[in-house]
Amino acid sequence: MTNRQLLLVSRPSGEPTRDNFKLVDTPIAPIGDGQLLVRHAWLSLDPYMRGRMNDKKSYAPPQPLNEVMIGGTVGEVIESRHPSFAPGDQVVGMGGWQEYSVVSGGIRKVDTSRIPLSAYLGPVGMPGVTAWYGLNRICEAKPGQTIAVTAASGAVGSVVGQLAKAKGCRAVGFAGGPDKCRYVTDELGFDACIDYKAHGDPKELYGALKAATPDGIDGCFENVGGAAFDAVLRRMNEHGRIALCGMISGYNGEPIPLRDPSILLTSRLMLQAFIVSEHMDHWPAALTELGTMVATGKLKYRETIAEGLAAAPEAFIGMLRGKNFGKQLVKL
Ligand code: NDP
């Protein structure tokens, strides 16, 4: 049996290219005692992967060259010599950009009777917990407050706004283009969504945000950095709270200017950056709530699906350009 794998073979400078990756077929060795073989059904593509491709100081070590790219996966156990897992078990783990993985732990069984398997990489997985943690533990969102979120149609942002609405907040999103904005308001139930691409001029962008946030902004969930973040900072109420989750507008090396950092001082804002994997103690509570909401149809989500492992690099490059609409997945 062979395993198709995608290796990172060179580090991108700026936007990644197809040449940074290499597709290889590798034989799968027989599993040993305590090991199991998982056949991946879905691979998650996430913005953090771009940071891992750089060889520079960060919160996690760089992805080693000529090794399988790191990545979250869900799939099925097809062979087991591990006491806690049996063939047929559906599992979530960090299997990487490959069709199979041989592991001895680090995976978790999931129940697919009410929640589709792929959702464990989205709203009931890492992106969902990220939204839950930033909104509840950093923004500390309360009923009646206004919460702003960038990349609002995406895996994380879409959950932030829906959780905020469920709490009785006003949810205002930013997204690129009319289709994404319409989805954010009409399908996800946000109160407003600003198409930042239609407001290239910072004054206009601020005007649109002001109209959408008559009572100012109490909590900011920041995924992007740049013009929308500048506008949100200006609309923040005194002692407002900012969950700094991501700055995707700079992941390919673009500068991310902050026009007026003095607002942090004059409005006495609290800004807390976070990495969700450093808060594992919150995952069980978050996953229970998110799982219940998805199973009961209270949390909606959308997926963009690339077909086959070979399509992963293109899909990843596209995600960093905003081509995805909802959670970017690869169907293996
Ligand atoms: P998304 O599904 O939101 O996909 C990325 C989206 O970012 C694109 O669809 C695009 O939407 C938007 N985007 C890309 N470039 C720009 C740009 N230059 N300006 C504005 N928007 C842009 O991805 P995720 O939900 O998985 O991730 C969202 C953010 O959360 C990322 O910054 C990511 O790094 C961060 N994150 C952080 C975690 C943590 O622990 N701190 C954990 C997980 C995610 P549009 O077309 O609307 O612009």
Side-chain angles (χ1 to χ4, degrees):
M1 203 154 67
T2 57
N3 185 12
R4 182 153 275 209
Q5 304 175 310
L6 264 166
L7 316 181
L8 183 75
V9 293
S10 60
R11 301 201 183 279
S13 76
E15 193 173 48
T17 65
R18 186 66 195 78
D19 296 343
N20 296 131
F21 305 90
K22 187 177 171 192
L23 196 60
V24 295
D25 288 321
T26 312
I28 302 174
I31 59 169
D33 266 347
Q35 289 189 320
L36 46 89
L37 177 64
V38 183
R39 182 170 53 217
H40 302 154
W42 299 93
L43 164 68
S44 174
L45 296 180
D46 296 274
Y48 76 83
M49 293 166 172
R50 178 62 189 85
R52 300 289 173 92
M53 292 174 188
N54 296 331
D55 189 8
K56 70 173 202 190
K57 185 175 176 287
S58 185
Y59 60 88
Q63 161 75 34
L65 287 182
N66 303 311
E67 288 187 16
V68 176
M69 258 309 292
I70 186 178
T73 46
V74 286
E76 180 174 327
V77 174
I78 54 169
E79 217 185 312
S80 178
R81 292 179 64 186
H82 189 293
S84 312
F85 295 92
D89 285 347
Q90 307 287 311
V91 293
V92 57
M94 293 296 289
W97 294 28
Q98 56 184 341
E99 290 177 347
Y100 295 86
S101 58
V102 175
V103 294
S104 47
I107 56 170
R108 186 167 50 83
K109 274 188 237 184
V110 292
D111 178 1
T112 53
S113 59
R114 292 168 75 216
I115 298 170
L117 184 58
S118 63
Y120 288 100
L121 296 175
V124 195
M126 187 276 281
V129 178
T130 302
W132 187 97
Y133 183 83
L135 184 74
N136 290 313
R137 296 290 175 262
I138 300 181
C139 292
E140 295 181 356
K142 294 179 186 61
Q145 291 188 333
T146 297
I147 303 295
V149 55
T150 43
S153 73
V156 174
S158 59
V159 178
V160 172
Q162 292 181 86
L163 290 180
K165 285 304 294 174
K167 275 182 167 296
C169 300
R170 179 174 175 80
V172 176
F174 288 86
D179 289 347
K180 286 186 177 180
C181 278
R182 209 171 305 118
Y183 168 71
V184 165
T185 51
D186 299 3
E187 301 283 324
L188 302 181
F190 284 50
D191 297 282
C193 184
I194 294 155
D195 176 1
Y196 69 89
K197 289 184 177 167
H199 300 286
D201 171 48
K203 267 197 197 131
E204 256 190 53
L205 187 66
Y206 179 75
L209 181 62
K210 191 174 174 192
T213 56
D215 300 325
I217 296 170
D218 304 291
C220 160
F221 194 109
E222 185 50 40
N223 285 321
V224 174
F229 189 38
D230 282 329
V232 169
L233 282 177
R234 284 183 62 197
R235 282 302 292 160
M236 293 285 299
N237 293 326
E238 294 181 351
H239 302 289
R241 302 176 73 87
I242 301 163
L244 183 53
C245 174
M247 304 210 95
I248 194 170
S249 67
Y251 287 2
N252 283 326
E254 308 88 335
I256 320 171
L258 187 58
R259 279 166 73 99
D260 186 6
S262 72
I263 296 178
L264 292 165
L265 175 64
T266 51
S267 299
R268 285 90 74 215
L269 302 178
M270 197 287 304
L271 184 152
Q272 175 72 58
F274 73 104
I275 297 297
V276 71
S277 53
E278 292 179 345
H279 303 279
M280 295 309 293
D281 46 328
H282 293 269
W283 283 54
L287 288 174
T288 301
E289 187 176 331
L290 294 161
T292 304
M293 288 178 78
V294 167
T296 54
K298 289 189 181 123
L299 186 61
K300 296 188 181 147
Y301 62 100
R302 183 177 172 131
E303 299 170 336
T304 294
I305 296 167
E307 294 286 339
L309 186 65
E314 271 319 312
F316 180 70
I317 295 162
M319 182 185 61
L320 294 175
R321 292 182 186 171
K323 279 197 182 163
N324 63 309
F325 192 160
K327 173 69 203 156
Q328 180 69 56
L329 296 168
V330 182
K331 193 168 193 302
L332 298 174

